[in-house]
Amino acid sequence: MRTASATATIGVNSDNSDPIILDTSCSHFSVGAAMVEVVNGAPAKLQYSYDNPQTPAASITWHDHGTATGKTATFDVGALAAPCTMVRLALTAGVAGSFRLDVCQYG
């Protein structure tokens, strides 16, 4: 089992956490995630990508998770159904605050 965390903090402008790179070589891809409010409930969303983690950051295509968008309080995302290469948090408004993304991968 592998666990990882990333924090996205916002001051005046929107910001994103560093991506958490997932292990796609597992025999059974199983990832759980939780968005944990740290300060002030700045609106946040979970994003995932299928791109190669070696791709330059500006060229990565990010997809919004279907139910984990616009969250302002701690939210249990649950299991990620599709095998993706990385996940991150994106803060979506210029409200000061921060969120932490906790990820647990096993398989």
Side-chain angles (χ1 to χ4, degrees):
M1 181 171 58
R2 175 179 172 263
T3 60
S5 291
T7 301
T9 302
I10 188 168
V12 177
N13 299 310
S14 297
D15 200 4
N16 305 316
S17 70
D18 290 333
I20 296 174
I21 298 171
L22 302 171
D23 182 357
T24 56
S25 67
C26 293
S27 59
H28 175 73
F29 184 88
S30 186
V31 175
M35 298 167 58
V36 181
E37 176 191 7
V38 177
V39 178
N40 293 341
K45 61 184 172 183
L46 176 70
Q47 295 183 316
Y48 59 93
S49 179
Y50 300 114
D51 291 350
N52 182 330
Q54 302 295 327
T55 302
S59 299
I60 293 175
T61 300
W62 290 99
H63 307 277
D64 294 345
H65 185 275
T67 59
T69 61
K71 300 301 178 185
T72 57
T74 297
F75 180 73
D76 181 7
V77 178
L80 301 179
C84 51
T85 57
M86 53 193 150
V87 293
R88 73 174 183 182
L89 278 180
L91 297 178
T92 59
V95 178
S98 65
F99 260 88
R100 184 182 76 236
L101 174 63
D102 292 336
V103 174
C104 180
Q105 180 175 14
Y106 47 95

